[in-house]
Amino acid sequence: MPMVKSSIVAIFPKVHPCAEAQTVSLHQLAGERLLLPTRGGSLSNLIQTAFNQEKISPDVVYEGSSVGCIELVKTGMGVSLHAREFAAMLHRDADISCVEFSLELSFTYGLGHREFENLSHVEKLYLSYMKKYAMDISAPSVD
């Protein structure tokens, strides 16, 4: 069940030349050392696919935890790519800068489950709740 659409942002050390840019392209990251989320995960696969489509061979120097990636970015070891929601939690960190991509790299968070008729009563209630939650968060906000 699709839940929330998100996108990927680049996370730079504050001293990096691209740290103050409004947007960045995958081609600008071609020569950068990349610090990526764990290999084989959906986010990592999306990132790798995006580089492949642009015919760019990324220089991945670390694949591991998101927190590990950010700590390494702070030391200047490289640049990391993460979901916008994760990056939003880092907005107060003075040592890093999050930059949008010029070409949107998006994906959808979702919830996988067995066929509805094979779910328990509690699982069906939970799934119904999550469907309502997904509709509520995707509705336009009225301020």
Side-chain angles (χ1 to χ4, degrees), residues 10 14 17 25 35 40-41 43 54 60 64 66 121 124-125 133 139-140 143:
K14 206 58 152 172
S25 72
L35 314 164
L43 187 59
E54 295 295 315
V60 179
S66 295
H121 176 69
K124 288 177 182 177
L125 288 174
Y133 174 76
D143 292 323

Side-chain angles (χ1 to χ4, degrees), residues 34-89:
L34 297 179
L35 314 164
L36 300 180
T38 304
R39 181 188 335 218
S42 57
L43 187 59
S44 180
N45 290 340
L46 175 66
I47 293 166
Q48 192 64 47
T49 298
F51 276 106
N52 291 344
Q53 287 175 343
E54 295 295 315
K55 297 183 181 9
I56 300 169
S57 182
D59 181 15
V60 179
V61 296
Y62 173 83
E63 290 179 300
S65 75
S66 295
V67 173
C69 288
I70 299 311
E71 291 305 312
L72 292 171
V73 167
K74 290 178 187 181
T75 69
M77 185 174 167
V79 175
S80 195
L81 307 177
H82 284 281
R84 174 190 313 278
E85 292 76 17
F86 177 75
M89 296 185 303

Side-chain angles (χ1 to χ4, degrees), residues 16-140:
H16 192 281
C18 292
E20 299 302 320
Q22 292 294 315
T23 62
V24 67
S25 72
L26 285 175
H27 288 279
Q28 287 174 275
L29 300 182
E32 298 286 346
R33 294 175 307 213
L34 297 179
L35 314 164
L36 300 180
T38 304
R39 181 188 335 218
S42 57
L43 187 59
S44 180
N45 290 340
L46 175 66
I47 293 166
Q48 192 64 47
T49 298
F51 276 106
N52 291 344
Q53 287 175 343
E54 295 295 315
K55 297 183 181 9
I56 300 169
S57 182
D59 181 15
V60 179
V61 296
Y62 173 83
E63 290 179 300
S65 75
S66 295
V67 173
C69 288
I70 299 311
E71 291 305 312
L72 292 171
V73 167
K74 290 178 187 181
T75 69
M77 185 174 167
V79 175
S80 195
L81 307 177
H82 284 281
R84 174 190 313 278
E85 292 76 17
F86 177 75
M89 296 185 303
L90 308 170
H91 73 280
R92 293 189 181 156
D93 195 320
D95 297 325
I96 60 172
S97 179
C98 301
V99 179
E100 302 282 334
F101 277 96
S102 52
L103 176 64
E104 183 182 35
L105 297 174
S106 63
F107 62 98
T108 302
Y109 286 106
L111 180 64
H113 59 84
R114 297 186 307 265
E115 292 186 24
F116 192 78
E117 61 270 5
N118 294 332
L119 298 176
S120 71
H121 176 69
V122 172
E123 290 169 325
K124 288 177 182 177
L125 288 174
Y126 177 73
L127 191 58
S128 295
Y129 168 79
M130 292 306 293
K131 282 181 182 176
K132 181 183 177 331
Y133 174 76
M135 288 177 18
D136 288 346
I137 62 174
S138 65

